[in-house]
Amino acid sequence: MRVAEPTVERLVQYYRLLEQLREEGRLVVSSHQMGEMLGIKASQVRKDLSYFGEIGKRGVGYHVDRLYGHISRILASPQIWRIGLVGVGHLGYALLGHSAFRSDKFRIDALFDVDPAKVGQEISGVPCFHLNDLPEVVRERDIQVLILTVPASAAQACVDKAVESQVVKGILSFASTALVAPEGMLVYRVDISVELEKLLFFLKGGAGV
Amino acid sequence: MRVAEPTVERLVQYYRLLEQLREEGRLVVSSHQMGEMLGIKASQVRKDLSYFGEIGKRGVGYHVDRLYGHISRILASPQIWRIGLVGVGHLGYALLGHSAFRSDKFRIDALFDVDPAKVGQEISGVPCFHLNDLPEVVRERDIQVLILTVPASAAQACVDKAVESQVVKGILSFASTALVAPEGMLVYRVDISVELEKLLFFLKGGAGV
C-alpha cells in the first residue's frame, strides 16, 4: 500500500491525539471531534481512516482504543532506529529533552559537535563525538538516521559526512537551507518558522493580492 | 482570494528557496529544479505559481528576482507583528537565536517564564516577565501573537492567560498537546517530531499493513 506524505502526517497526528485521549480515559471519539481538535475537516478524517479500514459508527464514532491500536500497527517500526544528532546547541538540547522525542521507535544514540567542550562528554546520557569522526561512528553504531540541528552554513558539510559513511539512509534537517544528497538518501527538512509565517498570513486576513 | 493552508505552506517554502537562490546570484530557476530542491512535484510548483499569476517560460523557467518579489508581496504583512514568547527553556532560546526567526514581519518583544532567575532579566535583549503578568503586558505592548515553548502540561494555562488578555489573536504552540481556545483565536501547533515519524515511516518502506 503506497501512502502519500500528507496522509502519513495526518496519521501521525491522529495517533498523537488518540494517545492523549486514551490517557484521559476516553472511550469513543467522533470524526468531527477529532477534526476539531486537529484543525482537519471531519470528512477528511473519515476518508483517511476508512482508507485504512476503520469505519466509525454513525452517531457514536470510533473506539479510541481500537483505532489507536490500528494506527499504531501501521506506524510501527520493524526495528528501533538508532539516530545521531548533529549539533548540540539550544535546539539540539531542546530535542534531547522534548517529550515527543521519547519513543520506542528510535533512540538518540550519538551526538556530534565540533565544540571541544562537548566532544568526549556525555550529554543527557548520550556520548558526543567530533563531527570529523561521524562516518566511522555511525558505521560502528549502526546509525542510519541523522538529525541536523546545526546552523544553515554547516548543514551541507554534515550531509557530505553522512554520504561518506555509506550507511546513513535518512536525514532530518532543522537548518533553514536547501541540501543536496544523492538519490536514495531521504532528506526531510523541518522549517520551524513556516507555521509562524502561515499563522501571520491567516491573521492578516489570508489575502495579499 | 482565499488560499488553502497547504498552499501557503508551499508558498513560504518557495519564498525561502528564492531568497537563497538570489543570495547565490542565480537568475533563473525551473519548476523542475524548485521541485527537486523542495521535494515538491514540478507540476504542483507550476500550478501554485500560475494560480498567483506567474507563468514560467518553457525551457527557461522563472526569473528568480521577479518571482521572489511577487511572492514577497503576497506574504507581506501590513504591520510588524509583536510577538510574546512563553517559556524560555532550550527551545525558547533556540527560536530566539534561529535565523528563520529574524524577520521584518515580526519581532519577539517580550518573554514570559515562571523561573525567578529569568523573570525581570533581559535575555538576548528581550525583557522577561512573569507568566502571571501576561494579560497586562501583552495589552500594554500591543502583542497579538504568542509562541508557546512550554511543556505540554503548562500549555493550556498559557492559552487561558492569552484569552484573559482579550488582545491575543493567534498562538503558535510547540507543546505536544491539543489546546482549547475560543472561536476567533487562531491556534497553530508545530509538532517537531511529526517529520521524524514521517521519515522513519518512509524509510521502513512506507507499508505497514
Side-chain angles (χ1 to χ4, degrees):
Chain A
M1 193 196 284
R2 275 197 63 81
V3 186
E5 223 188 285
T7 313
V8 177
E9 183 158 337
R10 287 193 302 274
L11 218 52
V12 174
Q13 290 179 294
Y14 301 148
Y15 179 73
R16 294 282 159 73
L17 177 63
L18 289 162
E19 198 167 38
Q20 201 183 336
L21 294 176
R22 270 180 98 216
E23 278 167 22
E24 291 169 6
R26 256 184 82 168
L27 299 179
V28 289
V29 65
S30 70
S31 56
H32 185 75
Q33 291 164 331
M34 287 179 68
E36 274 277 287
M37 288 184 270
L38 294 170
I40 298 171
K41 276 189 200 157
S43 57
Q44 181 71 61
V45 174
R46 284 193 299 272
K47 197 178 145 193
D48 286 337
L49 297 180
S50 77
Y51 181 76
F52 291 103
E54 277 288 333
I55 316 271
K57 219 171 176 171
R58 211 187 163 85
V60 179
Y62 301 91
H63 286 94
V64 170
D65 235 24
R66 210 180 74 177
L67 190 54
Y68 174 81
H70 191 67
I71 298 180
S72 162
R73 278 187 298 277
I74 296 168
L75 294 174
S77 186
Q79 64 185 105
I80 297 172
W81 296 95
R82 288 162 179 246
I83 293 182
L85 187 142
V86 189
V88 194
H90 283 300
L91 187 55
Y93 271 109
L95 299 191
L96 271 173
H98 202 286
S99 59
F101 280 78
R102 268 167 241 139
S103 164
D104 47 11
K105 286 198 195 75
F106 57 85
R107 191 176 75 212
I108 296 179
D109 198 64
L111 308 173
F112 299 93
D113 209 297
V114 292
D115 182 350
K118 289 170 188 159
V119 173
Q121 305 295 313
E122 276 209 355
I123 299 168
S124 301
V126 186
C128 183
F129 301 93
H130 196 283
L131 180 61
N132 289 341
D133 300 328
L134 189 143
E136 198 183 331
V137 173
V138 298
R139 275 195 299 264
E140 277 173 14
R141 296 191 158 236
D142 191 25
I143 291 174
Q144 300 185 335
V145 178
L146 293 181
I147 298 178
L148 305 186
T149 47
V150 296
S153 57
Q156 185 62 49
C158 299
V159 175
D160 297 344
K161 284 274 171 210
V163 174
E164 193 188 322
S165 79
Q166 298 187 308
V167 293
V168 172
K169 290 179 174 175
I171 293 181
L172 184 71
S173 171
F174 283 84
S176 44
T177 187
L179 297 170
V180 182
E183 209 154 322
M185 182 183 273
L186 272 183
V187 179
Y188 277 36
R189 276 173 63 190
V190 181
D191 187 332
I192 49 176
S193 71
V194 149
E195 291 294 323
L196 181 59
E197 290 265 8
K198 271 165 65 179
L199 178 67
L200 299 181
F201 180 82
F202 285 108
L203 279 179
K204 76 168 176 166
V209 263
Chain B
M1 193 197 282
R2 276 197 63 80
V3 185
E5 226 189 282
T7 314
V8 177
E9 183 158 335
R10 287 192 302 272
L11 218 53
V12 174
Q13 290 179 294
Y14 301 148
Y15 179 73
R16 294 281 161 72
L17 177 63
L18 290 162
E19 199 168 38
Q20 200 185 337
L21 294 176
R22 271 179 95 215
E23 277 165 24
E24 291 169 6
R26 253 184 84 170
L27 299 179
V28 288
V29 66
S30 70
S31 57
H32 185 76
Q33 291 163 330
M34 288 179 67
E36 274 278 287
M37 288 185 269
L38 294 170
I40 298 171
K41 276 189 199 156
S43 57
Q44 181 72 60
V45 175
R46 283 193 299 273
K47 197 178 145 194
D48 287 335
L49 296 179
S50 77
Y51 181 77
F52 291 103
E54 278 287 334
I55 316 271
K57 219 171 175 171
R58 212 190 162 84
V60 180
Y62 300 92
H63 286 95
V64 170
D65 235 24
R66 211 180 73 177
L67 190 54
Y68 174 80
H70 191 65
I71 297 181
S72 163
R73 278 188 297 280
I74 295 168
L75 294 175
S77 185
Q79 66 186 103
I80 298 172
W81 296 94
R82 288 163 178 245
I83 293 182
L85 187 142
V86 189
V88 194
H90 283 300
L91 186 56
Y93 271 109
L95 299 191
L96 272 172
H98 201 285
S99 59
F101 280 78
R102 269 167 239 139
S103 163
D104 47 11
K105 286 199 195 75
F106 57 85
R107 193 175 75 212
I108 296 179
D109 198 63
L111 307 174
F112 299 93
D113 209 297
V114 292
D115 181 349
K118 289 169 189 160
V119 172
Q121 305 295 313
E122 276 208 354
I123 298 167
S124 302
V126 186
C128 184
F129 302 92
H130 196 282
L131 180 61
N132 289 340
D133 300 327
L134 188 143
E136 199 182 331
V137 173
V138 297
R139 274 195 299 265
E140 277 172 16
R141 296 190 159 236
D142 192 24
I143 290 174
Q144 300 184 334
V145 178
L146 294 182
I147 297 177
L148 305 186
T149 47
V150 295
S153 56
Q156 185 62 49
C158 299
V159 174
D160 296 344
K161 285 274 170 211
V163 174
E164 192 188 322
S165 79
Q166 298 187 308
V167 295
V168 172
K169 289 178 174 176
I171 293 180
L172 184 71
S173 170
F174 283 85
S176 45
T177 186
L179 296 169
V180 182
E183 210 155 321
M185 182 183 273
L186 273 182
V187 179
Y188 277 35
R189 275 173 64 189
V190 181
D191 188 331
I192 48 175
S193 70
V194 149
E195 291 294 324
L196 180 60
E197 289 264 8
K198 272 165 65 179
L199 178 67
L200 299 182
F201 181 82
F202 285 109
L203 280 179
K204 77 167 175 167
V209 264

